[in-house]
Amino acid sequence: MFPFSQSVTPAVQDHMRSQFSFISDMSQKMFDTAQRINELNLQVAKAVIDESLQTTQQVLAADDPMEAISIATGQVQPTAEKVRAYGQHLTNIAAGAQVEMTRAVESRVPEATRTAAAVAEEVTRRAAEETQKTTERQKAMMEKISNPVKGASTSSKGSASGAQPGAR
C-alpha cells in the first residue's frame, strides 16, 4: 500500500496517536462551541418571533396611527438591549471556547514534544545507519571497479612491453 518497504515504527505510531488524540479533543471542543452558539441562536430566534407577534398584535389593536407608531418605536430600546445581550452571550461563548482550547493545547504540548522528539531521534538514527550502509556499498563498488582496472592495466603493460620488441 505504501511505497516504503519498511513498516511504520512505534515512535511514528505514538506520534500519530498523539496527534489524532489532540485533533479529536480540539474537534470536540469546537463542536461543543458550535452547539452552544446554535442553542443561543434558536433561543434568540424564538424570542424574536414571539416578540414580533406580540408587537404586531398590539399595533393592529391600536386605535389610531399615532398609537401604532408609538408602540413600534417603543420597541427600539428593548430590541437594542437584546442585541447587545446577544453579542455579549456570543463573546462569552467565544471566550470560553478559547480558554478550553488553550487548556487542551497546553495539556497536549508535553506529549507532542516527547513523541516528536522520539520520531526525530529515530529518523536521525536511521539516516545515520542508511548513510553508513550507502558509504560502505559505494566503497565496495569502487574497489570492484578499481581492482579489475588495476589488473587489466598490469596485464596490458606486460603485453605491451612484450609486443614492442617483437614489432621492431
Side-chain angles (χ1 to χ4, degrees):
M1 182 174 275
F2 291 108
F4 306 108
S5 62
Q6 300 170 345
S7 65
V8 178
T9 64
V12 172
Q13 288 176 355
D14 287 345
H15 188 63
M16 290 172 68
R17 278 190 209 105
S18 171
Q19 293 299 312
F20 179 76
S21 177
F22 170 71
I23 291 169
S24 294
D25 285 352
M26 294 302 283
S27 297
Q28 184 63 46
K29 292 188 185 323
M30 290 187 327
F31 179 79
D32 292 344
T33 300
Q35 187 175 10
R36 280 183 254 151
I37 290 171
N38 285 335
E39 289 170 0
L40 176 63
N41 287 339
L42 288 173
Q43 291 171 357
V44 168
K46 184 177 183 237
V48 166
I49 290 171
D50 289 344
E51 291 171 9
S52 295
L53 287 175
Q54 289 175 358
T55 303
T56 302
Q57 288 173 352
Q58 290 174 352
V59 168
L60 291 175
D63 294 332
D64 61 41
M66 289 307 289
E67 186 181 349
I69 291 173
S70 174
I71 292 170
T73 57
Q75 296 300 317
V76 172
Q77 181 64 29
T79 302
E81 285 297 316
K82 289 174 185 163
V83 168
R84 186 201 58 76
Y86 174 75
Q88 185 63 40
H89 283 293
L90 281 177
T91 302
N92 290 341
I93 290 171
Q98 183 178 7
V99 168
E100 288 177 17
M101 288 183 190
T102 300
R103 285 181 187 154
V105 168
E106 288 174 347
S107 70
R108 297 291 181 169
V109 165
E111 181 182 0
T113 301
R114 180 189 59 78
T115 58
V119 169
E121 183 179 309
E122 185 171 329
V123 166
T124 302
R125 181 185 54 78
R126 283 191 171 197
E129 289 173 1
E130 290 300 318
T131 300
Q132 182 64 31
K133 288 177 187 177
T134 302
T135 302
E136 289 172 5
R137 283 192 300 257
Q138 287 175 348
K139 284 181 182 178
M141 185 60 74
M142 291 303 289
E143 287 177 10
K144 286 180 182 178
I145 291 172
S146 65
N147 284 340
V149 170
K150 287 181 183 177
S153 65
T154 306
S155 64
S156 64
K157 285 182 182 178
S159 62
S161 63
Q164 284 178 351
R168 289 193 178 188

